[in-house]
Amino acid sequence: MNRIGVMGGTFDPVHVGHLAVAAEALRVLDLIAVVFMPAGQPYFKNLASITPGKERLEMLTLAISGQPRYSLSLMELQREGHSYAVDSMVKMRAGLKPEDELYFILGWDSLLSLPQWYQADLLIQICRIVAAPRPGYAKPDVGLIEKDLPGITGRCTVLEKPLIDISSTQIRRRVAAGLSIDEMVPPEVARYIQQKGLYRQ
């Protein structure tokens, strides 16, 4: 049985916190790989405020270069219309062996809102959920979420670490203000942001 992690997100930009969560999931859950899946048109975000997918993909490619257990999926970037996690997981599940396990990695904050996600009940049947710490959020009580999303208790792992106080929003604001982001993103990503003039007002 292969265990494969999938980390979705806008990655605008990818930062060291994303990479630390992926590394922790690999270790704790004995995954063979983590697939980074940048969103195309997230239904919950204003598209005008999101950096084009080509540039977000370039930054991810730079960030995971040389990491053999990390890979990229273009599935959501290539899909027309809004991106729903369940659609991507159905498609990914179809390409695996019956005994393989999928682990969908999200933040503590996203776990709290999971019952409101599109076809969340189907999502937790297709894959297991892995919730990573997010600064400013208390550790979720999965038992409370069970009331709104039956079955989640047996399908969810809540990670205790890493707790890294970095967000993509914070990075964009620092770039716009002319401040350094060298400790927040991989060096290659920092250079790319500078070269492309991303996030400047």
Side-chain angles (χ1 to χ4, degrees):
M1 179 183 72
N2 291 321
R3 297 179 174 183
I4 301 160
V6 179
M7 182 181 288
T10 49
F11 300 111
D12 194 14
V14 60
H15 55 68
V16 296
H18 294 130
L19 301 176
V21 168
E24 181 69 0
L26 279 172
R27 185 186 69 82
V28 171
L29 300 169
D30 194 26
L31 306 179
I32 66 161
V34 171
V35 180
F36 291 82
M37 185 179 290
Q41 297 183 25
Y43 67 93
F44 53 87
K45 289 194 176 182
N46 177 5
L47 293 181
S49 67
I50 300 175
T51 302
K54 179 179 181 296
E55 293 175 328
R56 292 184 285 119
L57 180 62
E58 287 285 351
M59 289 187 281
L60 266 171
T61 302
L62 291 169
I64 68 173
S65 177
Q67 301 286 341
R69 295 170 73 185
Y70 293 163
S71 65
L72 288 168
S73 170
L74 308 187
M75 191 183 304
E76 294 197 349
L77 286 177
Q78 294 171 343
R79 180 185 299 135
E80 293 185 0
H82 290 304
S83 297
Y84 295 103
V86 66
D87 294 335
S88 301
M89 292 302 100
V90 166
K91 190 171 181 179
M92 188 165 283
R93 173 75 260 176
L96 300 178
K97 298 175 182 177
E99 65 271 20
D100 291 342
E101 286 267 26
L102 271 177
Y103 290 77
F104 189 75
I105 304 166
L106 42 68
W108 282 357
D109 53 333
S110 295
L111 177 60
L112 293 171
S113 65
L114 189 61
Q116 284 76 54
W117 285 28
Y118 177 66
Q119 293 190 338
D121 54 341
L122 177 58
L123 180 65
I124 66 171
Q125 294 175 35
I126 296 167
C127 57
R128 295 181 179 275
I129 303 298
V130 183
R134 282 294 297 271
Y137 289 86
K139 181 179 178 181
D141 185 335
V142 181
L144 294 178
I145 301 172
E146 176 79 21
K147 294 184 294 183
D148 297 316
L149 186 57
I152 184 64
T153 303
R155 302 287 292 172
C156 181
T157 299
V158 178
L159 300 179
E160 301 285 346
K161 59 181 183 178
L163 183 60
I164 298 177
D165 193 6
I166 296 176
S167 73
S168 295
T169 300
Q170 181 185 8
I171 291 170
R172 294 194 300 270
R173 288 173 177 167
R174 288 184 66 86
V175 173
L179 300 175
S180 172
I181 57 168
D182 289 347
E183 303 300 319
M184 305 171 80
V185 299
E188 300 83 0
V189 173
R191 283 195 293 271
Y192 183 89
I193 290 171
Q194 183 178 28
Q195 290 166 2
K196 294 291 183 177
L198 299 181
Y199 311 128
R200 296 177 185 170
Q201 291 182 337

